[in-house]
Amino acid sequence: MLPKVIVHNLISVDGCFTGFEADLETYYSVAAGFGADMCLIGSGTMTGAGEENVAEEPADFIKPDPATRPHAGYCVVVDSRGICRNLHLFRRADYCKDVVVLVSATTPESHLQYLRERNYDYIIVGNDHVDYRKALEILYEKYHCRTLRVDSGGTLVSILIQQGLVNEISLIVAPLLTGNAQPALFGKLNLTKNINLKFVKSEPLSDGQLWITYQL
């Protein structure tokens, strides 16, 4: 079995997801309504979030008790290359039960040791790259994940869509044009034919923003 996968992002009218000041309060307010058990994040997004040079403390090596954060979800990080060294910033956050890392058979042993020393759960799934379908099956069975929100950039989003793993796309459209061709959220899709989406709803939000939802 697989969890329901919702891609959620905030984009400009011309489809970019960077290059403008995002309304994060609205973004996360909408996201909270999904009731997601887990949030999937790519390594590029993860390393760009927060300050990597914030020093670890002894408490960062201790696995949190999930019962102390009953309304939080797990952060699931895709990191086959073993580049994320700021996981402790998310482990500290009240909105995060803990961090689970998806790696592959080619992930450096030194990084796996880094994860073990800090008591992070990690799942080796796939050879050269993470096998997303198998990973979702494990998250469903082992972590009882029924709804997974994808909070990431175009690379991970495109892979999941092309592999037929996304059930819903949720977009908050900001009322502005960036004038940039890249990075477009769906700019890395490599399709041989169009994907027809089923319109679910649209809802106006504050400051001229529009929330649009589609099913795949």
Side-chain angles (χ1 to χ4, degrees):
M1 296 289 289
L2 300 175
K4 177 181 180 180
V5 176
I6 303 173
V7 167
H8 180 58
N9 217 309
L10 193 158
I11 63 172
S12 62
V13 171
D14 50 354
C16 291
F17 61 97
T18 64
F20 61 95
E21 185 175 351
D23 182 350
L24 295 181
E25 181 178 356
T26 298
Y27 174 82
Y28 285 111
S29 176
V30 171
F34 301 146
D37 305 295
M38 292 182 154
C39 180
L40 184 66
I41 307 170
S43 58
T45 300
M46 192 73 171
T47 55
E51 298 291 336
E52 285 196 69
N53 60 357
V54 174
E56 291 179 306
E57 300 175 358
D60 295 321
F61 287 69
I62 301 172
K63 182 176 288 296
D65 179 0
T68 63
R69 301 172 183 175
H71 302 296
Y74 285 90
C75 291
V76 183
V77 182
V78 181
D79 192 18
S80 184
R81 294 175 294 164
I83 63 173
C84 294
R85 295 298 176 107
N86 62 344
L87 302 179
H88 56 289
L89 300 181
F90 291 80
R91 174 173 267 182
R92 295 176 185 178
D94 291 336
Y95 60 78
C96 179
K97 269 188 169 65
D98 199 9
V99 178
V100 179
V101 185
L102 304 180
V103 298
S104 70
T106 57
T107 301
E109 174 59 30
S110 59
H111 191 68
L112 301 184
Q113 181 62 27
Y114 165 86
L115 298 175
R116 287 191 292 266
E117 288 173 351
R118 290 154 178 80
N119 294 293
Y120 288 111
D121 288 6
Y122 65 88
I123 304 170
I124 301 176
V125 55
N127 295 320
D128 294 332
H129 304 284
V130 169
D131 182 332
Y132 291 101
R133 180 172 294 275
K134 183 63 177 177
L136 294 181
E137 290 174 353
I138 293 172
L139 296 178
Y140 184 96
E141 295 295 336
K142 183 175 180 180
Y143 295 91
H144 309 289
C145 179
R146 298 300 180 262
T147 301
L148 178 79
R149 175 169 63 89
V150 181
D151 187 347
S152 197
T155 300
L156 178 56
V157 166
S158 297
I159 291 171
L160 294 173
I161 290 175
Q162 290 185 189
Q163 294 185 6
L165 299 175
V166 175
N167 304 101
E168 190 169 294
I169 295 175
S170 165
L171 298 175
I172 297 176
V173 182
L176 54 86
L177 299 170
T178 66
N180 297 318
Q182 296 291 337
L185 183 57
F186 304 108
K188 294 191 177 182
L189 280 174
N190 184 17
L191 302 177
T192 57
K193 62 178 181 178
N194 294 339
I195 296 176
N196 294 318
L197 305 177
K198 180 182 178 181
F199 174 76
V200 177
K201 67 177 180 180
S202 63
E203 181 179 329
L205 302 174
S206 61
D207 299 323
Q209 299 176 101
L210 183 65
W211 176 27
I212 309 174
T213 306
Y214 294 96
Q215 290 179 346
L216 276 76

